[in-house]
Amino acid sequence: MKSTLDILEATITNVMTEVTGQKDCSALVRPATDAKFGDYQVNGVMPLAKQLKTNPRKLAEQIVAKLNSATADKLSDICETPEIAGPGFINLRLKPELVAANLLQISKDAGQFGIEKAEKPKTIVVDFSGPNIAKQMHVGHLRSTIIGDCICRLLELRGHKVIRQNHIGDWGTQFGMLIAYLRVLYKDKLKQPDSVSIGDLEQFYKNAKHWYDTDPTFADSAREEVVKLHNNDKDTLSVWKEFVKESRRHYQPIYETLQIDLIYAHEKGESFYKDMLPGVVAELKKKGLAVESEGAVCVFPVDSTHSTSSGQTSSPQAGFKDKEGKPLPVIIQKSDGAYLYATTDLAAIRYRVGELKADEIIYVTDARQGLHFEMVFTVAKMAGWVKPETELVHVTFGSVLGEDGKPLKTRSGENVKLKELLDEAVERARKVVEDKNPGLPEDEKKKIANAVGIGAVKYADYTNNRTSDYIFSFDKMLAMEGNTAPYMQYAYARVRSIQRKGRDKGIEVDKEIAQSQSISLTEPSELDLAKHLIRYGEAVSSAVSDYRPNYLTAYLYDLAQKFSSFYNDCPVLDASADKRPTRLLLCDLTAKTIEHGLHNLLGIEVIEQM
Ligand code: ARG
């Protein structure tokens, strides 16, 4: 179903064109910033007045007059008489009849919540998580993993074909170091590589790296191992395979704990592209884009948006610069023949567009990789590997900080392991459950602690504007007040308990809802909740169009609060017979919407009883 916002936008834009003859105007209808002024406001009059060099308030008056005239009868079905405010805003207030009708429709159209499908579904590759092999996942991988997963769910809900890609770091010099190290010190482990645990691998890698950095002879032998690996040496390759497997045994359970839809089939790590790398370099050379520079093969990317009007893009002035103002290259092959992270990303773009037929590729990594992706995207465009209409998007995020405002580390200064962090969250959530409901059976307690603990970590991350850093605090994320997972889970459980109580009292809850043909919204808090419920689709749209889960969590929190006010003001089970079906329906849709948001879109468990 088309959202009210979209209908308003289209109707008012039309009227603006009719009034002014201006074709390229738009109403810019946005949710009102303050409910005092109505539900939506039209922001597009002022820019249009400026363009036409006319008085914005007068123009707003003309538009409103037209909107009120018979020709715009559609609008009067939706809104009360529009009001002009300030220098030229138009405020719109939805009619209760429209709210009631939409609510009924959403409740009948089970599971879709009035969410609109994309007009032109696209094939979208989402590259997220990407842990590095032989290391444990740390808190730095949390954001990419969960934000990426939520973006996939949002896009799928809108009807796009989503291809999840886990670009694991499974190729490169670190394996050379690791294997060279074992060759010298732990020959037996090389014979039984499947006996090496992820913890061992991590420790060996740390030692090997230190050795590599301090001893040129060892560094040489590490490089030799890399060459062997790259030449598909059988023994080296089979050791490498075991290490990748062990790493997978480590991260797959973490995905399951976090309810992340990433499986082996989504894994296309760096090694997947290894045989394509020579071709990437050769093609870039052939196209005259790659040049030798100080022994390495480089491309100097030039953003076509900076190009001259003649289409000549070779002016180095328009390219990327280092601090001294010298042109900055993307190195695609080192003088020793080794390929780089960027070379693999170029091969991946070519594959994703060429083979996976991606219309859009989304990369979810922290903001520090911004320049890397900007340069790689530019090279891919110069090479003609992406069409002008293919979208390449880098969805960035900030860091997770400790209470001291510095990147979250353990006391000894190490990265916090994701597994340990999640275990601690569940343990702490267990205490919350013990406090709230000590009489629950043991397995219930366990289940709830798990849902609350993991939910709290995820939800806290999602509520933060992804581009900012945030301070990780167990106390805050596990609090029963504020916009937290336990608060939302509790809100859900409360609505469900109202329904249960109703059934216990002999009220045929589902029948009453199913049979309600008309809805009467008389109390202000009732209408307020209903209006919010019909706007779930808007929250989903804004979250997906900006790849920002926090729009969704903000919506859910408002919903829980509006439900609280409604439930304070309006009896539900004891309501009179003419009011009860509407109120039962409001409860039901509230519960279903929270469940859909938390569970289907954020991958957080809801709990029937807390
Ligand atoms: N392994 C990388 C890291 O830990 C993330 C991979 C991101 N994806 C990509 N196509 N480069 O930083």
Side-chain angles (χ1 to χ4, degrees), residues 12 16 26-28 42-52 54-61 63 87-90:
I12 299 171
M16 282 165 72
S26 73
L28 303 178
V42 179
N43 292 345
V45 179
M46 279 161 333
L48 180 60
K50 197 167 170 205
Q51 203 184 338
L52 299 172
T54 178
N55 179 309
R57 208 163 157 109
K58 279 232 172 72
L59 182 58
E61 277 162 18
I63 293 167
F89 295 107
I90 302 173

Side-chain angles (χ1 to χ4, degrees), residues 127 130-132 141 167 169 270 341 345 352 363 365 369 372-373:
D127 175 325
N132 297 319
H141 292 111
H167 193 89
E270 294 177 6
Y341 185 56
D345 263 327
R352 290 165 180 180
Y363 296 80
T365 82
Q369 296 198 38
H372 161 78
F373 282 116

Side-chain angles (χ1 to χ4, degrees), residues 469-483:
D469 299 343
Y470 74 91
I471 293 182
F472 189 94
S473 156
F474 277 123
D475 290 338
K476 265 207 195 124
M477 65 179 67
L478 285 166
M480 292 302 299
E481 277 93 50
N483 193 9

Side-chain angles (χ1 to χ4, degrees), residues 126 128 143-153 164 364:
V126 185
F128 68 109
R143 303 206 77 185
S144 171
T145 304
I146 70 172
I147 294 171
D149 186 58
C150 177
I151 290 174
C152 292
R153 291 165 187 249
R164 293 155 185 254
V364 190

